[in-house]
Amino acid sequence: MKLAIMQPYFLPYIGYFQLVGAADQFVVYDRIKYTKKGWINRNRYLLDGRDAMFSLPLRKASDALDVVERRLAPDFDRRKLLAQLEGAYRRAPQFEPTFALLERIVNHDDDNLFGYVHHSLQAVCAHLGIDTRLSVSSTLAFDNSLKGQDKVLAICGAAGAKCYLNSIGGTELYAKPAFAERDIELRFLKARPFEYPQLGQPFVPWLSIVDVLMFNPLEAVRARLDHYDEI
C-alpha cells in the first residue's frame, strides 16, 4: 500500500494533487503547528499577468496552536474572496465550471481552519476524479510527539504502508535506509513542467490548481495528473 502524508494546503498547485492521486491512502495532518509563511491558508493566483496571493483571514490566536485549533476570522468575507478570483479569471476559457467549484468551496460553512481546508481538498479531488482515500492524522494510532522522519515512519506503521510517497522537495528530509529497516520503500514524485496559455501573457508556472482549472478543460487536467516522474 502506497501512503503519502502532507499538511493541509488551501487550493495548492497541481503537484499536490498528483501526489494524492499516486497514493492509495493520503494522510492530512491536523495536529501540526500552523505556520504563517506556509501555504495552509493561502496560495498564488494569476492577476494581470503576474502572480499574486489570495488568503483566508484567521482569528487572532497563539502561534503555538495546531491547525485544527485555529479559526477563520469572524469578518471573513466569502463574497469578497470570490469576487477577487472572479475579477482575475472571468475571461479564462474554463471560468464557469471552475468558478462553480470555487463557490462550493469558498461558501463552505465551517469556521475551523482545518475543517475548511480539508473540505476544499475533498472537493477538488472529487472534481478531478481522484478516488484516493483521504485520512486525518489524528485518527491513526501513533505517537504525535514524534518529529520529522520518526513521525512519518510511525504513521506508515500505523497505516500498514509498504511504500511512502513524498514530493521531490522532501529528498533532503528522509533517508532510504531508515525506511528500509521498517520494510518500507521510499519514493519521491517530481511534477513535470506544465505550460499553457494564460490570456496571452508570459507564462507564470506552479500557481494554485485554480489557475490550472481556469485555463484547461477538466479532462486535460485529469490527464495531467499522471505527468510526473517517480524517483
Side-chain angles (χ1 to χ4, degrees), residues 31-58:
R31 290 292 177 183
I32 192 169
K33 294 291 182 291
Y34 168 78
T35 53
K36 291 181 180 179
K37 295 182 179 181
W39 300 98
I40 293 172
N41 65 312
R42 63 178 190 159
N43 222 289
R44 300 189 308 140
Y45 73 117
L46 189 71
L47 180 63
D48 298 328
R50 58 180 178 80
D51 68 307
M53 198 75 69
F54 63 85
S55 62
L56 303 172
L58 302 182

mmCIF file of all heavy atoms in Angstrom, residues 31-58:
data_model
loop_
_atom_site.group_PDB
_atom_site.id
_atom_site.type_symbol
_atom_site.label_atom_id
_atom_site.label_comp_id
_atom_site.label_asym_id
_atom_site.label_seq_id
_atom_site.Cartn_x
_atom_site.Cartn_y
_atom_site.Cartn_z
ATOM 1 N N ARG A 31 -3.013 17.698 13.509
ATOM 2 C CA ARG A 31 -2.290 18.056 14.728
ATOM 3 C C ARG A 31 -0.868 18.467 14.364
ATOM 4 O O ARG A 31 0.101 17.772 14.643
ATOM 5 C CB ARG A 31 -2.285 16.881 15.697
ATOM 6 C CG ARG A 31 -3.634 16.570 16.314
ATOM 7 C CD ARG A 31 -4.068 17.685 17.258
ATOM 8 N NE ARG A 31 -5.399 17.455 17.832
ATOM 9 C CZ ARG A 31 -6.000 18.315 18.637
ATOM 10 N NH1 ARG A 31 -5.399 19.460 18.941
ATOM 11 N NH2 ARG A 31 -7.191 18.067 19.108
ATOM 12 N N ILE A 32 -0.775 19.623 13.720
ATOM 13 C CA ILE A 32 0.514 20.164 13.309
ATOM 14 C C ILE A 32 0.435 21.676 13.450
ATOM 15 O O ILE A 32 -0.619 22.280 13.250
ATOM 16 C CB ILE A 32 0.850 19.750 11.854
ATOM 17 C CG1 ILE A 32 2.299 20.051 11.520
ATOM 18 C CG2 ILE A 32 -0.109 20.385 10.863
ATOM 19 C CD1 ILE A 32 2.758 19.422 10.209
ATOM 20 N N LYS A 33 1.551 22.291 13.842
ATOM 21 C CA LYS A 33 1.559 23.726 14.108
ATOM 22 C C LYS A 33 1.270 24.532 12.842
ATOM 23 O O LYS A 33 1.803 24.246 11.774
ATOM 24 C CB LYS A 33 2.906 24.153 14.695
ATOM 25 C CG LYS A 33 3.183 23.578 16.078
ATOM 26 C CD LYS A 33 2.259 24.170 17.123
ATOM 27 C CE LYS A 33 2.561 23.639 18.516
ATOM 28 N NZ LYS A 33 2.218 22.226 18.688
ATOM 29 N N TYR A 34 0.450 25.551 12.996
ATOM 30 C CA TYR A 34 0.196 26.484 11.904
ATOM 31 C C TYR A 34 1.421 27.369 11.716
ATOM 32 O O TYR A 34 2.015 27.847 12.688
ATOM 33 C CB TYR A 34 -1.031 27.342 12.217
ATOM 34 C CG TYR A 34 -1.173 28.513 11.280
ATOM 35 C CD1 TYR A 34 -1.679 28.332 9.995
ATOM 36 C CD2 TYR A 34 -0.776 29.789 11.665
ATOM 37 C CE1 TYR A 34 -1.788 29.394 9.118
ATOM 38 C CE2 TYR A 34 -0.888 30.860 10.785
ATOM 39 C CZ TYR A 34 -1.386 30.663 9.519
ATOM 40 O OH TYR A 34 -1.485 31.707 8.652
ATOM 41 N N THR A 35 1.819 27.580 10.469
ATOM 42 C CA THR A 35 2.954 28.454 10.172
ATOM 43 C C THR A 35 2.499 29.591 9.263
ATOM 44 O O THR A 35 1.876 29.362 8.224
ATOM 45 C CB THR A 35 4.087 27.668 9.482
ATOM 46 O OG1 THR A 35 3.565 26.979 8.330
ATOM 47 C CG2 THR A 35 4.686 26.643 10.428
ATOM 48 N N LYS A 36 2.825 30.811 9.652
ATOM 49 C CA LYS A 36 2.365 31.992 8.928
ATOM 50 C C LYS A 36 2.894 32.041 7.496
ATOM 51 O O LYS A 36 2.230 32.537 6.593
ATOM 52 C CB LYS A 36 2.795 33.255 9.673
ATOM 53 C CG LYS A 36 2.088 33.462 10.999
ATOM 54 C CD LYS A 36 2.567 34.747 11.665
ATOM 55 C CE LYS A 36 1.868 34.966 12.991
ATOM 56 N NZ LYS A 36 2.344 36.202 13.670
ATOM 57 N N LYS A 37 4.116 31.559 7.291
ATOM 58 C CA LYS A 37 4.740 31.674 5.981
ATOM 59 C C LYS A 37 4.502 30.447 5.099
ATOM 60 O O LYS A 37 5.077 30.321 4.022
ATOM 61 C CB LYS A 37 6.235 31.923 6.133
ATOM 62 C CG LYS A 37 6.557 33.265 6.790
ATOM 63 C CD LYS A 37 8.053 33.506 6.879
ATOM 64 C CE LYS A 37 8.359 34.849 7.510
ATOM 65 N NZ LYS A 37 9.821 35.115 7.593
ATOM 66 N N GLY A 38 3.667 29.537 5.565
ATOM 67 C CA GLY A 38 3.365 28.338 4.788
ATOM 68 C C GLY A 38 2.193 28.563 3.840
ATOM 69 O O GLY A 38 1.800 29.695 3.546
ATOM 70 N N TRP A 39 1.612 27.453 3.388
ATOM 71 C CA TRP A 39 0.561 27.506 2.375
ATOM 72 C C TRP A 39 -0.771 26.960 2.891
ATOM 73 O O TRP A 39 -1.663 26.661 2.111
ATOM 74 C CB TRP A 39 0.996 26.717 1.140
ATOM 75 C CG TRP A 39 2.249 27.270 0.533
ATOM 76 C CD1 TRP A 39 3.523 26.823 0.703
ATOM 77 C CD2 TRP A 39 2.351 28.419 -0.315
ATOM 78 N NE1 TRP A 39 4.418 27.595 0.011
ATOM 79 C CE2 TRP A 39 3.724 28.597 -0.626
ATOM 80 C CE3 TRP A 39 1.425 29.313 -0.847
ATOM 81 C CZ2 TRP A 39 4.183 29.626 -1.445
ATOM 82 C CZ3 TRP A 39 1.879 30.339 -1.660
ATOM 83 C CH2 TRP A 39 3.240 30.486 -1.951
ATOM 84 N N ILE A 40 -0.904 26.880 4.203
ATOM 85 C CA ILE A 40 -2.115 26.295 4.776
ATOM 86 C C ILE A 40 -3.355 27.130 4.449
ATOM 87 O O ILE A 40 -4.397 26.587 4.095
ATOM 88 C CB ILE A 40 -1.953 26.111 6.292
ATOM 89 C CG1 ILE A 40 -0.886 25.038 6.571
ATOM 90 C CG2 ILE A 40 -3.283 25.704 6.937
ATOM 91 C CD1 ILE A 40 -0.500 24.898 8.033
ATOM 92 N N ASN A 41 -3.254 28.443 4.555
ATOM 93 C CA ASN A 41 -4.431 29.285 4.316
ATOM 94 C C ASN A 41 -4.230 30.305 3.193
ATOM 95 O O ASN A 41 -4.933 31.316 3.125
ATOM 96 C CB ASN A 41 -4.822 30.023 5.603
ATOM 97 C CG ASN A 41 -3.769 31.016 6.049
ATOM 98 O OD1 ASN A 41 -2.578 30.686 6.096
ATOM 99 N ND2 ASN A 41 -4.187 32.229 6.393
ATOM 100 N N ARG A 42 -3.293 30.029 2.284
ATOM 101 C CA ARG A 42 -3.075 30.964 1.189
ATOM 102 C C ARG A 42 -2.474 30.251 -0.015
ATOM 103 O O ARG A 42 -1.957 29.139 0.104
ATOM 104 C CB ARG A 42 -2.148 32.095 1.611
ATOM 105 C CG ARG A 42 -0.753 31.609 1.993
ATOM 106 C CD ARG A 42 0.161 32.760 2.352
ATOM 107 N NE ARG A 42 1.548 32.308 2.496
ATOM 108 C CZ ARG A 42 2.606 33.111 2.406
ATOM 109 N NH1 ARG A 42 2.442 34.402 2.179
ATOM 110 N NH2 ARG A 42 3.823 32.626 2.545
ATOM 111 N N ASN A 43 -2.546 30.906 -1.166
ATOM 112 C CA ASN A 43 -1.881 30.381 -2.351
ATOM 113 C C ASN A 43 -1.751 31.485 -3.396
ATOM 114 O O ASN A 43 -2.218 32.606 -3.196
ATOM 115 C CB ASN A 43 -2.599 29.153 -2.916
ATOM 116 C CG ASN A 43 -1.600 28.094 -3.339
ATOM 117 O OD1 ASN A 43 -0.890 28.241 -4.325
ATOM 118 N ND2 ASN A 43 -1.521 27.013 -2.560
ATOM 119 N N ARG A 44 -1.139 31.133 -4.536
ATOM 120 C CA ARG A 44 -0.848 32.118 -5.581
ATOM 121 C C ARG A 44 -1.821 31.961 -6.757
ATOM 122 O O ARG A 44 -2.165 30.848 -7.130
ATOM 123 C CB ARG A 44 0.585 31.966 -6.080
ATOM 124 C CG ARG A 44 1.654 32.151 -5.011
ATOM 125 C CD ARG A 44 3.039 32.193 -5.622
ATOM 126 N NE ARG A 44 3.270 31.058 -6.497
ATOM 127 C CZ ARG A 44 3.908 31.109 -7.664
ATOM 128 N NH1 ARG A 44 4.383 32.253 -8.119
ATOM 129 N NH2 ARG A 44 4.093 30.018 -8.397
ATOM 130 N N TYR A 45 -2.217 33.074 -7.306
ATOM 131 C CA TYR A 45 -3.065 33.055 -8.497
ATOM 132 C C TYR A 45 -2.556 34.092 -9.484
ATOM 133 O O TYR A 45 -1.633 34.862 -9.179
ATOM 134 C CB TYR A 45 -4.526 33.300 -8.122
ATOM 135 C CG TYR A 45 -4.875 34.721 -7.722
ATOM 136 C CD1 TYR A 45 -5.768 35.472 -8.471
ATOM 137 C CD2 TYR A 45 -4.346 35.305 -6.569
ATOM 138 C CE1 TYR A 45 -6.121 36.759 -8.106
ATOM 139 C CE2 TYR A 45 -4.693 36.591 -6.189
ATOM 140 C CZ TYR A 45 -5.581 37.313 -6.954
ATOM 141 O OH TYR A 45 -5.929 38.589 -6.597
ATOM 142 N N LEU A 46 -3.139 34.094 -10.677
ATOM 143 C CA LEU A 46 -2.699 35.000 -11.734
ATOM 144 C C LEU A 46 -3.543 36.265 -11.714
ATOM 145 O O LEU A 46 -4.770 36.213 -11.790
ATOM 146 C CB LEU A 46 -2.831 34.314 -13.096
ATOM 147 C CG LEU A 46 -2.201 35.051 -14.281
ATOM 148 C CD1 LEU A 46 -0.674 34.994 -14.205
ATOM 149 C CD2 LEU A 46 -2.672 34.419 -15.600
ATOM 150 N N LEU A 47 -2.872 37.422 -11.617
ATOM 151 C CA LEU A 47 -3.566 38.700 -11.614
ATOM 152 C C LEU A 47 -2.856 39.649 -12.570
ATOM 153 O O LEU A 47 -1.704 40.039 -12.336
ATOM 154 C CB LEU A 47 -3.587 39.295 -10.199
ATOM 155 C CG LEU A 47 -4.291 40.641 -10.053
ATOM 156 C CD1 LEU A 47 -5.775 40.527 -10.404
ATOM 157 C CD2 LEU A 47 -4.120 41.185 -8.637
ATOM 158 N N ASP A 48 -3.515 39.953 -13.684
ATOM 159 C CA ASP A 48 -2.951 40.868 -14.677
ATOM 160 C C ASP A 48 -1.561 40.439 -15.135
ATOM 161 O O ASP A 48 -0.636 41.256 -15.254
ATOM 162 C CB ASP A 48 -2.887 42.296 -14.113
ATOM 163 C CG ASP A 48 -4.277 42.838 -13.776
ATOM 164 O OD1 ASP A 48 -5.237 42.456 -14.472
ATOM 165 O OD2 ASP A 48 -4.396 43.622 -12.810
ATOM 166 N N GLY A 49 -1.406 39.147 -15.377
ATOM 167 C CA GLY A 49 -0.165 38.629 -15.935
ATOM 168 C C GLY A 49 0.947 38.366 -14.940
ATOM 169 O O GLY A 49 2.060 37.998 -15.343
ATOM 170 N N ARG A 50 0.683 38.539 -13.658
ATOM 171 C CA ARG A 50 1.719 38.263 -12.653
ATOM 172 C C ARG A 50 1.109 37.448 -11.512
ATOM 173 O O ARG A 50 -0.120 37.362 -11.376
ATOM 174 C CB ARG A 50 2.289 39.570 -12.095
ATOM 175 C CG ARG A 50 1.246 40.460 -11.462
ATOM 176 C CD ARG A 50 1.818 41.753 -10.920
ATOM 177 N NE ARG A 50 0.775 42.613 -10.355
ATOM 178 C CZ ARG A 50 0.252 42.460 -9.147
ATOM 179 N NH1 ARG A 50 0.670 41.473 -8.362
ATOM 180 N NH2 ARG A 50 -0.691 43.281 -8.712
ATOM 181 N N ASP A 51 1.964 36.867 -10.699
ATOM 182 C CA ASP A 51 1.446 36.082 -9.586
ATOM 183 C C ASP A 51 1.115 37.004 -8.414
ATOM 184 O O ASP A 51 1.820 37.971 -8.129
ATOM 185 C CB ASP A 51 2.426 34.999 -9.159
ATOM 186 C CG ASP A 51 3.682 35.551 -8.527
ATOM 187 O OD1 ASP A 51 4.316 36.410 -9.157
ATOM 188 O OD2 ASP A 51 4.019 35.127 -7.409
ATOM 189 N N ALA A 52 -0.008 36.705 -7.760
ATOM 190 C CA ALA A 52 -0.465 37.438 -6.594
ATOM 191 C C ALA A 52 -0.964 36.419 -5.571
ATOM 192 O O ALA A 52 -1.067 35.226 -5.866
ATOM 193 C CB ALA A 52 -1.568 38.418 -6.975
ATOM 194 N N MET A 53 -1.278 36.885 -4.376
ATOM 195 C CA MET A 53 -1.658 35.986 -3.304
ATOM 196 C C MET A 53 -3.124 36.161 -2.915
ATOM 197 O O MET A 53 -3.631 37.280 -2.832
ATOM 198 C CB MET A 53 -0.785 36.255 -2.073
ATOM 199 C CG MET A 53 -0.784 35.132 -1.053
ATOM 200 S SD MET A 53 0.216 33.710 -1.566
ATOM 201 C CE MET A 53 1.856 34.428 -1.454
ATOM 202 N N PHE A 54 -3.820 35.041 -2.719
ATOM 203 C CA PHE A 54 -5.130 35.076 -2.073
ATOM 204 C C PHE A 54 -5.010 34.307 -0.764
ATOM 205 O O PHE A 54 -4.168 33.412 -0.631
ATOM 206 C CB PHE A 54 -6.239 34.503 -2.961
ATOM 207 C CG PHE A 54 -6.088 33.045 -3.308
ATOM 208 C CD1 PHE A 54 -6.545 32.047 -2.450
ATOM 209 C CD2 PHE A 54 -5.503 32.656 -4.514
ATOM 210 C CE1 PHE A 54 -6.431 30.703 -2.782
ATOM 211 C CE2 PHE A 54 -5.374 31.321 -4.852
ATOM 212 C CZ PHE A 54 -5.834 30.338 -3.977
ATOM 213 N N SER A 55 -5.817 34.654 0.218
ATOM 214 C CA SER A 55 -5.644 34.023 1.530
ATOM 215 C C SER A 55 -6.943 33.987 2.308
ATOM 216 O O SER A 55 -7.895 34.721 2.013
ATOM 217 C CB SER A 55 -4.576 34.769 2.343
ATOM 218 O OG SER A 55 -4.978 36.103 2.587
ATOM 219 N N LEU A 56 -6.963 33.129 3.326
ATOM 220 C CA LEU A 56 -8.064 33.040 4.261
ATOM 221 C C LEU A 56 -7.662 33.785 5.531
ATOM 222 O O LEU A 56 -6.669 33.429 6.170
ATOM 223 C CB LEU A 56 -8.359 31.568 4.615
ATOM 224 C CG LEU A 56 -8.687 30.628 3.461
ATOM 225 C CD1 LEU A 56 -8.752 29.187 3.972
ATOM 226 C CD2 LEU A 56 -10.000 31.027 2.810
ATOM 227 N N PRO A 57 -8.399 34.825 5.926
ATOM 228 C CA PRO A 57 -8.056 35.536 7.157
ATOM 229 C C PRO A 57 -8.374 34.694 8.387
ATOM 230 O O PRO A 57 -9.385 33.989 8.423
ATOM 231 C CB PRO A 57 -8.946 36.781 7.095
ATOM 232 C CG PRO A 57 -10.127 36.350 6.285
ATOM 233 C CD PRO A 57 -9.594 35.372 5.272
ATOM 234 N N LEU A 58 -7.502 34.775 9.383
ATOM 235 C CA LEU A 58 -7.666 33.951 10.580
ATOM 236 C C LEU A 58 -7.945 34.795 11.818
ATOM 237 O O LEU A 58 -7.490 35.935 11.931
ATOM 238 C CB LEU A 58 -6.405 33.112 10.812
ATOM 239 C CG LEU A 58 -5.982 32.168 9.694
ATOM 240 C CD1 LEU A 58 -4.741 31.382 10.110
ATOM 241 C CD2 LEU A 58 -7.111 31.231 9.301
#
